[in-house]
Amino acid sequence: MHRHVTAPAWRRRAAYGVTAALVLSGVAACDSAASTEADAPAKGGTLTVFVGALPDHLDPQIINAALEVNISRLITRTLTTTKAEPGDAASEIVPDLATDTGRPSDGNKTWEFKLRDGVKWQDGTPVTCKDLKYGAERNFSELMQDGLPYVRNYLDAPKDYKGPFLNGNNGGQGIKAVECVDEKTVQYHLKQAVGDFGYVAALTGLAPVRQEIEGKDRPAYDEQPFSSGPYKITDRTDAALTLVRNDNWDAGTDSVRKAYPDKIMIQAANDSAEETNKLIADQGPEHSGIMIDQDVAPNFLQQVVNDPELAARTATGTTGAVRFFAINTRKIKDVKCRQALSYAFDKRKLRTALGGSISGELATSFIPPSLAAHKDFDVYGTNTRPDGDIDRAAELLKQAKDCPKKLRVAYRDSPAIKRLMKPVVEMYLRIGVQVEAVPVTYKTYYHDVSDSSLNFDLIFAGWVPDYPNGSAVLPALFDGRNLPAPGETGTNNYSFFDDDEINRLIDEAVAEPDLERQYKLWGELDQKIMEKAAAIPVVYSVAQRLYGSNVSNVFISPMFAQPDISAIGLKNPSQSGAS
């Protein structure tokens, strides 16, 4: 899923034949979620989920960020999904709307799914193949360009197809790439073999949408999509989102979502230090609340780690997420300049600002060590010089033909992230480069910074693999085809990196049918991208998410780099203030 991630607030392997239950390799976690019987979650009550900002999108075809995916799983069911369990199981693919994880044919170029019986929308209407077809076709509309790219990249649609909304250019019509064999059987016809399409089917891009409901008001649908999951949205303000039970969800058709609380309140809380302090106090809504997408604030981290009671209610674990600075290659075209900026970066200093080594390992790649496609390499000497190599950076600056003396650095506007900009300013002054740190609206950050006309030189971001393979990392971040023009938005390639060699190697890796060979190709490609200095990976993130003492079954899911909301419940629902 994606998704983007920011610090400290965050934003996803392949098989062939019938997609197997694939798991992340080496995912470590110390979640405090293995609840004792006495602490086991009970049905009922109100869970309060504190977030940096309310989700920008909940329309399944526009969803991009990890928080959006996490919340969406409460509302929107997908053909397949991953288990709501701690550890390696969290990345195992299982059927959801479908009866299995997909039946490939034609050398993995055609994938068929059959809908299970009894799945309904919130008004009791059955979910049908027609809804799946319409959902898939929506991806091609210009209105959906902020969404994840996999469906647009893989479906064998006409090049001029513009989605089901418009007239002309084959718009407003269906496409043969999505075929309804009957009311409950859908086939997807792909441009090329895709062995891990069963994982793509777990993403919301292929989720069903009711055309007659969505067509009434598309902007409103983005804020309040029609539900096929255990919860539906009843109210939304600028500060809160209210979810209550969907009476037409049948637990007998859903083996994944636990749906313990009667109500879930999603509450905006931008200042992580303030919210950490409230959760430590464990009073009011915080007693039955959890900070989902923001870590324990750095100034409270040692207190939380060293207090057994607080540590016991902190979900900790590797996330699969990588925090990084994208380098705008449309502005900084000289590779030697970009390499100089990479050598000069003091990763140790930035990690200290994040809270020290507890916040994660220093990163040297974009595919994290938790994935089988990861390759060990260290192009810029991070392991030997974590504070940067100023001499090498200065040497490259002399060789570079065009390198800016001032960098505009975009960051997501929150007090916690603002504090991270001070070490960035200091590290680049060492090579005579000034930094202007520019805050960008928290809620719409990733939409906004995907417009290259804003002329940022560096963009602070993060990525969680949408599913456990390199194909869910490198194409999204570095495929330069279909980049938006300046003044337009809709990409996860915040480096605006377009390199013919890299694009060709992405296609080669995606098409490779041998799993082990494919892993090797992704690792080699990761190293080549690092050599071209398209971005600077900083930390493989470790999450530290604090929650109230009435909250149970909390664990970090590698699919969201966050606690999985669909698994969380309350020990004593009567203490949550619910009626």
Side-chain angles (χ1 to χ4, degrees), residues 3-25:
R3 294 138 183 144
H4 335 89
V5 223
T6 58
W10 284 85
R11 171 120 186 89
R12 265 176 195 300
R13 203 171 334 200
Y16 39 88
V18 177
T19 303
L22 303 176
V23 294
L24 289 164
S25 62

Side-chain angles (χ1 to χ4, degrees), residues 33 98 102 179 214 270 285 301 307 322 337 412 432 474 492 510 513 577:
E179 179 182 356
E214 170 264 2
N270 183 256
L301 196 52
D307 184 317
V322 180
C337 177
R412 201 174 185 186
L474 301 184
N492 300 306
V510 168

